[in-house]
Amino acid sequence: MFDTKFAIVLRDDLPVWQKLNVTAFLTSGIVAQYPEIIGEPYRDRAGNLYNPLSIQPVIVLSADQPTLAAIHRRALERAVTTSLYVEEMFSTGHDVANRAVFAEFTPDDAKVVGIALRADKKLVDKITKGARMHA
């Protein structure tokens, strides 16, 4: 149904609250990059209106730190723009501080805890090689 795949890869040793937090932040980045993936508002039988949701399923994967670093590198090598969350962002409290701490790292020393991407299905599969379905 979709030519593309929307995947999120989380570091496998994070506490559940951090996995959920990172997933929410990374999803917002992909939606900002691809606003066309948002569908129409929902309405229940009583007529209540609800926010629209993504029209495309999101695949959530997990990986260890070395695999996440490889996924990050492969995305950069293939010029796929991603949403990225680094470990140090857990210690900040707002967007300006997040961007400041993010800017302190390069791809070689970033402690990636989550990455999200949307691209051609085969390309996403190649980039996320080594990650497994999140349990």
Side-chain angles (χ1 to χ4, degrees), residues 57-119:
V58 180
I59 308 301
V60 181
L61 306 167
S62 65
D64 58 18
Q65 184 65 56
T67 303
L68 264 171
I71 290 167
H72 183 203
R73 186 188 73 252
R74 289 192 292 259
L76 290 170
E77 289 169 352
R78 290 166 173 85
V80 173
T81 301
T82 64
S83 298
L84 195 73
Y85 202 100
V86 297
E87 186 174 293
E88 290 75 11
M89 291 166 69
F90 288 126
S91 66
T92 65
H94 55 86
D95 183 56
V96 173
N98 279 346
R99 283 185 280 114
V101 74
F102 189 97
E104 293 176 13
F105 299 94
T106 69
D108 295 329
D109 62 6
K111 291 181 249 169
V112 176
V113 297
I115 188 168
L117 62 155
R118 181 176 181 251

Side-chain angles (χ1 to χ4, degrees), residues 3 26 42 46-47 80 98 120-121 126:
D3 297 339
L26 295 176
Y42 283 70
V80 173
N98 279 346
D120 175 81
K121 284 181 183 180
K126 287 178 184 175

Side-chain angles (χ1 to χ4, degrees), residues 34-75:
Y34 298 102
E36 68 274 11
I37 68 171
I38 298 301
E40 297 297 320
Y42 283 70
R43 187 176 302 275
D44 66 20
R45 192 172 66 194
N48 297 304
L49 189 63
Y50 299 89
N51 289 329
L53 302 174
S54 174
I55 62 171
Q56 185 169 11
V58 180
I59 308 301
V60 181
L61 306 167
S62 65
D64 58 18
Q65 184 65 56
T67 303
L68 264 171
I71 290 167
H72 183 203
R73 186 188 73 252
R74 289 192 292 259

